Amino acid sequence: MSIGCKEEEKANPIVATSWSDDMEMMINSSDSANVYMATNAEWYLSEFWQEWTVEKLDGEFVMSSWADAPSFDLHISYGLKITDTLNVCVDIYPNADYPDRSGEVCAKCKTISFNGTEWVTNQ
């Protein structure tokens, strides 16, 4: 006979099946002229390449850039407007030497818009 509270059931932890499951992209900082996007890839990978693409929600392509840097600046001067809602995507290629992008590709996207003060991730 046991006295007291029944032990609560513990939820099974989510098990990541690949490094891509832990990848995130975020807005580091922004203002009306710039959006500074970044990923946490540098915390997981010793060597990686990133390709960023941005388009408006109506499908109009805005810009693309691929670089070995862990972050990227999106500038209003490149054709973005603060009235736009944007789809920002990044493809991260691990352990690859340019131009051969071998290895598993991690693709992440965020929808962002300007709230009157700064660019924010839409919920």
Side-chain angles (χ1 to χ4, degrees):
M1 178 177 187
S2 63
I3 299 174
C5 298
K6 181 180 176 183
E7 185 177 340
E8 291 183 22
E9 289 185 20
K10 297 179 181 175
N12 292 331
I14 297 173
V15 178
T17 58
S18 77
W19 64 270
S20 184
D21 294 340
D22 294 326
M23 287 295 102
E24 296 178 9
M25 59 184 291
M26 66 288 297
I27 299 174
N28 268 7
S29 64
S30 69
D31 55 32
S32 61
N34 304 284
V35 188
Y36 185 74
M37 302 291 296
T39 74
N40 60 353
E42 63 269 26
W43 303 334
Y44 292 93
L45 306 170
S46 59
E47 181 181 284
F48 62 94
W49 297 91
Q50 297 184 124
E51 183 170 11
W52 295 83
T53 57
V54 183
E55 62 182 5
K56 300 177 184 178
L57 286 193
D58 62 7
E60 180 184 348
F61 174 79
V62 176
M63 64 187 298
S64 177
S65 177
W66 101 280
D68 58 354
S71 57
F72 192 67
D73 280 306
L74 310 178
H75 299 279
I76 300 303
S77 60
Y78 293 161
L80 311 185
K81 298 176 182 175
I82 60 174
T83 54
D84 292 334
T85 298
L86 305 173
N87 188 41
V88 181
C89 295
V90 61
D91 290 339
I92 305 167
Y93 301 84
N95 305 317
D97 294 320
Y98 178 81
D100 175 26
R101 304 182 208 172
S102 60
E104 180 186 359
V105 178
C106 178
K108 299 290 180 182
C109 293
K110 293 278 187 183
T111 302
I112 65 173
S113 60
F114 194 73
N115 69 0
T117 305
E118 60 187 358
W119 291 84
V120 295
T121 301
N122 291 14
Q123 299 300 328

